[in-house]
Amino acid sequence: MTENSAGVPRVVVAGSGSLARGGCFSLALAKIPAVVHILARRPGQAREVADLAAMRARLSGSPVSFEAGALTDLREVLARFQPRVVLNCASHQSPWERMTSPSEWTNLLRRGGFGLTLPLQAGPAISLAQAVAEASPATMLVNGCFPDAVNPLLKALGLPVFCGIGNVMTLAAALRATLPADETRTLRVLAHHVHLHAPEDEAGEALAWLDDEPLTDVTARLAKLRAADRRELNAVTGHAAALLVENLLTGADTRTNVPGPLGLPGGYPVRIRDGALALDLPVAEDVAVRRNQRDGHRDGVVVEGSDVVFGETARQALLPYLPDLAAGFPVHDTASVCDRLLELRDRLRSPAPFPNEEERCPSPARPGT
């Protein structure tokens, strides 16, 4: 246990990749006392993140401290410390593999849409949510891995999830950067993960408001974000996540935009206060949910009732490989489907022929990363 940490709120960060690093490095700037436990499949990487974050904390005069451990220690940490927040940044599929290691697997994802990776994103999140439910039920689970679709899956399984990070949160940050620094009106954004790329037509664009006034030129305002190297975006997403976590620790009255709040599909404006979350929409909730569910089809996947349903583009892409899963599967089969996709990925990861398929034939789904 960290010295003088008794009674200090605790946060668990699952994962040690770029999103986890971005979040921890920004949490190192927080001005409130907290202990952050970084748990990863490779404890050495968790230790490295904790050490670097601790250096940043001391440089900035922050009272936040960092500890490291193995992800296998999760239940013990949850049971012992009852953390206020668990931030999940662990998944089986990197969103940037197509840029770093192109293969027939990444070509499949390019054809079918990022939604095909839902089981790979959901596997670790399910294990984490189960552990929270059993060992620390008062903990708020914040999911950073494809929350627009994973959070509805967790809800369908009856597992706890508070909200997500990224996607609409990152889009909102980009929109905020186009506004005057003294703009005090609340920025409300209704958007899905798929909006990290520009839509084919204006009708499919993300929606935004300042208080209740529609924000114009959303496509133009998002141009810089969409042109940026996707691997750089976690510097923004991680910082936004750290600000959210800090507000959850203090119970501050917060108006923000998050993906997957309370297990809903896509991203919404919300108000959070003392651990309670409510939608903060300028339109009817059913209209907003239907719009995000429609955009989920563009991303290749939606959760409908107790089933995961792949869109037509995703179905056609998966049909030659796993025909029995091409239409979708029951949410309770997610773990076994995850195993089958991991096996398929191993088979398809041989180097792709040159030129890469994504260069020859852009995907109609235009999946986000």
Side-chain angles (χ1 to χ4, degrees), residues 27-299:
L27 278 170
L29 308 179
K31 299 304 180 184
I32 62 168
V35 179
V36 179
H37 299 263
I38 304 166
L39 306 180
R41 287 186 287 265
R42 288 175 282 188
Q45 288 195 358
R47 179 74 269 160
E48 178 181 80
V49 178
D51 289 343
L52 292 172
M55 296 175 201
R56 289 173 62 88
R58 296 296 82 78
L59 282 171
S60 63
S62 170
V64 178
S65 61
F66 296 85
E67 299 186 357
L71 200 51
T72 52
D73 297 333
L74 174 65
R75 287 178 183 268
E76 178 184 349
V77 172
L78 290 174
R80 180 179 179 187
F81 296 116
Q82 302 290 299
R84 194 80 53 85
V85 179
V86 168
L87 176 61
N88 178 41
C89 302
S91 81
H92 291 308
Q93 178 63 45
S94 166
W96 305 307
E97 183 177 344
R98 66 184 179 86
M99 291 181 277
T100 59
S101 303
S103 66
E104 286 304 318
W105 167 253
T106 61
N107 284 340
L108 170 62
L109 299 185
R110 185 72 177 181
R111 292 193 302 272
F114 190 72
L116 282 177
T117 72
L118 172 61
L120 304 182
Q121 307 289 337
I126 291 172
S127 297
L128 208 61
Q130 290 171 335
V132 167
E134 295 169 9
S136 186
T139 294
M140 290 176 278
L141 174 60
V142 177
N143 174 41
C145 297
F146 199 14
D148 298 63
V150 170
N151 287 16
L153 188 148
L154 294 176
K155 180 180 179 181
L157 289 171
L159 293 172
V161 62
F162 187 75
C163 70
I165 57 166
N167 305 338
V168 71
M169 180 181 280
T170 307
L171 292 163
L175 292 173
R176 175 63 71 181
T178 69
L179 301 175
D182 59 355
E183 175 61 72
T184 60
R185 287 177 291 177
T186 299
L187 175 63
R188 295 167 165 174
V189 183
L190 180 68
H192 193 278
H193 167 263
V194 77
H195 287 115
L196 290 174
H197 283 280
E200 296 290 344
D201 58 77
E202 187 176 346
E205 185 58 277
L207 300 179
W209 299 261
L210 290 174
D211 288 341
D212 294 325
E213 179 184 343
L215 186 65
T216 60
D217 301 324
V218 169
T219 300
R221 293 174 185 273
L222 291 175
K224 291 182 179 179
L225 171 75
R226 288 166 172 166
D229 187 329
R230 290 289 184 269
R231 290 167 290 186
E232 300 296 330
L233 294 188
N234 277 343
V236 176
T237 301
H239 188 62
L243 294 174
L244 174 65
V245 169
E246 186 173 359
N247 287 335
L248 293 178
L249 294 181
T250 63
D253 190 348
T254 305
R255 280 186 163 93
T256 187
N257 301 275
V258 296
L262 306 176
L264 291 173
Y268 307 79
V270 298
R271 184 173 185 178
I272 304 172
R273 180 167 48 188
D274 292 329
L277 182 152
L279 297 183
D280 189 27
L281 286 162
V283 297
E285 179 178 341
D286 61 336
V287 172
V289 172
R290 281 200 304 271
R291 183 182 176 89
N292 271 330
Q293 193 76 331
R294 181 201 69 190
D295 289 330
H297 282 285
R298 288 172 51 208
D299 222 11

